[in-house]
Amino acid sequence: MKLQNFTVLPILCAVVFLLSGCAARESVSPATSVPGAVPAALPFNEQVAALPEGSTQYFAESPFGPSTIEAGPFYRSGLGNECRSARVTRGSMSHRFALCKEQNGAWRFIPTVFESMPR
């Protein structure tokens, strides 16, 4: 072997060693927060279900847009589910809806069919 090969080999090893050390180094930018670490806001249905009976609450974001929700009483549906009636008011529009608790514990929005029928 030539003498040049013996001098190039240690230099090549040193370069690989330095580059691998640089790649393993942590970034100097600040760590970003983990999305799961911040508690998520309750969904609209859960918030309405938690309201005290007879109370009204303004919601800037809801399925109806910015509106006021009045929490009605809890009741048992014909299927035996725990439900709650509520009234939404947005401007001059006002109608009832219900929330019913499913088997998995989540509250599901139930539109009131009879309110939209002609009288």
Side-chain angles (χ1 to χ4, degrees):
M1 290 191 112
K2 294 183 178 179
L3 186 57
Q4 281 180 328
N5 291 343
F6 288 114
T7 57
V8 172
L9 186 61
I11 293 173
L12 184 61
C13 288
V15 168
V16 169
F17 178 74
L18 289 174
L19 289 178
S20 66
C22 292
R25 204 179 298 165
E26 288 187 34
S27 141
V28 292
S29 64
T32 58
S33 63
V34 178
V38 177
L42 287 175
F44 172 77
N45 295 350
E46 301 289 329
Q47 291 179 43
V48 173
L51 290 173
E53 184 178 337
S55 68
T56 58
Q57 175 72 43
Y58 174 77
F59 287 87
E61 294 180 19
S62 79
F64 312 100
S67 56
T68 301
I69 307 295
E70 180 183 351
F74 287 97
Y75 63 92
R76 283 271 170 213
S77 73
L79 298 173
N81 296 330
E82 180 182 8
C83 295
R84 163 169 248 178
S85 66
R87 177 169 292 281
V88 60
T89 305
R90 181 177 183 202
S92 62
M93 186 254 339
S94 176
H95 70 273
R96 291 203 156 287
F97 67 96
L99 300 171
C100 289
K101 193 180 245 185
E102 296 183 326
Q103 290 179 350
N104 65 3
W107 289 89
R108 184 169 53 104
F109 174 81
I110 311 290
T112 303
V113 176
F114 299 110
E115 186 133 339
S116 62
M117 293 178 70
R119 298 174 197 229

